[in-house]
Amino acid sequence: PPHRDQRMPYRSFLSPAQRAALALQLQSRFAELARSRAARMRVPALDATPQAQDPDEAGRRAAAGEVDAAVADLDGSESAAIASAMQRVHGSDYGWCADCEAAIPFARLSAEPQALRCAACQTNHEQELPT
């Protein structure tokens, strides 16, 4: 793949059709996450207070509440990444790895259009994250 230094300013390795397809994917996933968020808001929150008559039910309700909160956090993070990619998709830096500045292959962008890094740099980035 071409390296950032080998490209002309404001020129992309992605065709206009590829950019349009990726933009559509981003918009579709963003809308899907918004629908999911709206559906979760319509479901009444589970009461996590212990029920004297059924301690197992109180535990299940508390665990379900924790899962719901974790899903909401993940959806929020993904929504933010997608919103950022939607702003970048038609710009000159979209599709270039934030770390090594090589072109991110179209196949990777098709699988994850909000990707900021090539697969190798993403793996390195994840290994450097605290656990």
Side-chain angles (χ1 to χ4, degrees):
H3 188 275
R4 174 181 250 171
D5 294 338
Q6 297 171 338
R7 65 186 173 103
M8 302 283 288
Y10 305 108
R11 185 168 174 190
S12 175
F13 66 96
L14 295 169
S15 72
Q18 288 173 321
R19 281 183 185 269
L22 293 168
L24 185 60
Q25 276 184 263
L26 288 163
Q27 291 167 353
S28 177
R29 181 63 181 148
F30 193 79
E32 181 182 323
L33 289 169
R35 285 190 300 273
S36 173
R37 193 169 37 257
R40 275 195 314 277
M41 292 176 75
R42 285 192 299 268
V43 175
L46 294 174
D47 182 11
T49 58
Q51 303 294 324
Q53 67 274 18
D54 188 357
D56 289 340
E57 179 63 21
R60 283 191 292 273
R61 287 176 177 264
E66 290 174 15
V67 168
D68 288 345
V71 168
D73 285 347
L74 287 173
D75 284 356
S77 295
E78 185 178 0
S79 291
I82 290 171
S84 176
M86 288 169 65
Q87 291 177 340
R88 294 187 327 269
V89 73
H90 295 292
S92 62
D93 286 339
Y94 180 77
W96 298 96
C97 179
D99 292 348
C100 73
E101 297 185 348
I104 300 172
F106 179 69
R108 173 157 169 70
L109 290 171
S110 293
E112 189 175 350
Q114 70 273 22
L116 290 172
R117 296 173 181 85
C118 66
C121 288
Q122 183 63 38
T123 298
N124 290 339
H125 177 75
E126 290 171 3
Q127 290 173 350
E128 292 171 359
L129 292 175
T131 54

